[in-house]
Every structure is written in structure tokens, then in C-alpha cells.
Amino acid sequence: RKEVEQDPGPFNVPEGATVAFNCTYSNSASQSFFWYRQDCRKEPKLLMSVYSSGNEDGRFTAQLNRASQYISLLIRDSKLSDSATYLCVVNRGYGGSQGNLIFGKGTKLSVKP
Amino acid sequence: GAGVSQSPSNKVTEKGKDVELRCDPISGHTALYWYRQRLGQGLEFLIYFQGNSAPDKSGLPSDRFSAERTGESVSTLTIQRTQQEDSAVYLCASSFLGVGYTFGSGTRLTVV
């Protein structure tokens, strides 16, 4: 089983749609979870961290289910500018130290007018 | 500096030559990471530094790849006897205490 798995998409949605991405991870010792966004031929940029209680940042909602080792990202009222690849990221975890980040292969989102 | 700086931004090299890629992390960031991203593929972890030690170098694809870091500063990734399959974007990221991972804009390596 891959350390981080995502549906590669692409997700093609109209402006204003709500879209959800899912991700599963295999290492139960993972401590930190993130969603990154990567635009074409650019470096990844942090979109948001994911907390156990779930967290929201404007139109974006992230949720974590530790029991199922599952992370989700919900985007409401999609904008054209949301078109990008969304990367699910999990830290490998070294007993409380930073460890390193393991990236999923990403889910491509294309928002159409 | 204000961000993670990588150089060169682009490198074209002949097969068999050695290349050295440089990463300047954000000042004060203790952790530094190297990743590789082939065209249309996901990020592939190469090596992670905490200070100048490397707790995890499990991602280095072969012994042609090596990396070092001076203190909590600059890191260099060296690829010896480059092969065409080494062509990729090499991304460096830094962080402080596991938060705020910031990526540089990468070095695009093309081996011809």
C-alpha cells in the first residue's frame, strides 16, 4: 500500500460547484497532515494544515479521520483560480520530531466557466 | 532570506557529467528537504536534514546521489555521472519545528 494515496482525477467542475478530494495514508504514526496546492510548473504551496477536529479557511474545509487514516478537502463555490493540483501531504513521523513530508501524487482540479 | 532560494533555476548537462544543485533555506529553519519531481509525476522524497545531519536519506535513488548541509544553512545535492532518467525538477523545502514548510522554485535539470 502506498504511503499516501489520492484519486488522480482530473476533476472537471463548473464555477460555483462544490468539490471534495479524499486521501488515505498508511502510516498510523503520522503526526501532521496538510493540503498543498501546486500550479502548473510551479512549486507546491501550503494551502492548509489539517487538524483532528477539522478546520475551515474560507471556502476550504479540511477533515482528518485518524481511525480510518483518511483526510479530505472540500472546496465550496469553486473559482477559476482554484484550478490546480491538490496534494495530500503526511509527515512520516519520527517519535515527535519533524520527520519528513510524504506527498501524494495529487488530484488535478479544473474549474470551467 | 525571505524565501527558499535554489540555484541554478535551470541546468542542461550532458549525460555522464556531474552536477551540483544548491539550496539556501529560510534563515533559522532547522530542517531542509530535497524532493524530485519528474514531468507529470508526484513529488519523490530524496533526503531530509535536521541541522547538518541527515536522519533520513532513504529516498536517494542510487549512490550517484549525495547531499550535504553546512550547519543550518546551505545544502548541496550532487548527482554524479548523470543519466537521462535524472531529468526532473529538484525541489528544496525548509521548515522550523515542523511547521511552515516552504519550497523553493526548484532547479529544472535536463540531461541530454
Side-chain angles (χ1 to χ4, degrees):
Chain A
R1 182 180 175 186
K2 291 181 184 172
E3 285 195 80
V4 181
E5 289 202 72
Q6 295 182 250
D7 181 343
F11 284 54
N12 298 308
V13 303
E15 268 187 294
T18 295
V19 61
F21 304 137
N22 303 318
C23 167
T24 57
Y25 62 95
S26 61
N27 186 351
S28 59
S30 294
Q31 308 280 338
S32 307
F33 310 90
F34 309 91
W35 284 100
Y36 274 70
R37 170 194 169 129
Q38 187 173 26
D39 292 285
C40 189
R41 299 177 74 87
K42 298 284 191 182
E43 72 274 19
K45 292 187 177 175
L46 178 65
L47 179 65
M48 59 197 301
S49 300
V50 186
Y51 303 116
S52 296
S53 55
N55 48 300
E56 189 173 307
D57 182 2
R59 298 181 292 108
F60 298 83
T61 301
Q63 297 223 302
L64 167 65
N65 183 323
R66 283 188 187 270
S68 302
Q69 294 180 205
Y70 172 94
I71 304 160
S72 66
L73 176 69
L74 184 78
I75 305 175
R76 290 181 300 278
D77 188 23
S78 301
K79 311 289 184 193
L80 296 176
S81 57
D82 294 334
S83 298
T85 297
Y86 290 83
L87 307 173
C88 176
V89 185
V90 174
N91 102 310
R92 188 172 273 170
Y94 291 94
S97 68
Q98 298 173 58
N100 67 65
L101 296 184
I102 304 300
F103 285 74
K105 292 195 182 302
T107 299
K108 187 170 181 179
L109 171 66
S110 181
V111 181
K112 307 291 187 185
Chain B
V4 177
S5 177
Q6 290 188 247
S7 61
S9 54
N10 279 285
K11 176 73 177 178
V12 180
T13 190
E14 291 181 356
K15 180 181 170 181
K17 294 277 177 73
D18 297 353
V19 295
E20 195 171 274
L21 313 180
R22 177 187 167 109
C23 174
D24 238 305
I26 292 173
S27 179
H29 277 195
T30 53
L32 185 147
Y33 312 80
W34 283 99
Y35 291 84
R36 176 169 74 175
Q37 188 171 33
R38 291 193 170 110
L39 187 64
Q41 303 296 310
L43 270 75
E44 179 186 0
F45 167 74
L46 297 178
I47 187 169
Y48 148 62
F49 286 94
Q50 179 63 37
N52 62 3
S53 67
D56 189 348
K57 50 178 85 171
S58 62
L60 294 178
S62 75
D63 59 9
R64 295 187 295 105
F65 287 72
S66 62
E68 59 182 32
R69 187 180 184 195
T70 308
E72 293 184 352
S73 184
V74 172
S75 174
T76 54
L77 176 69
T78 301
I79 309 173
Q80 295 178 309
R81 304 181 304 282
T82 51
Q83 304 293 313
Q84 286 184 328
E85 67 259 26
D86 300 334
S87 295
V89 176
Y90 289 81
L91 290 159
C92 174
S94 70
S95 76
F96 178 68
L97 295 181
V99 296
Y101 294 82
T102 303
F103 279 86
S105 54
T107 293
R108 186 173 302 276
L109 175 65
T110 304
V111 181
V112 297

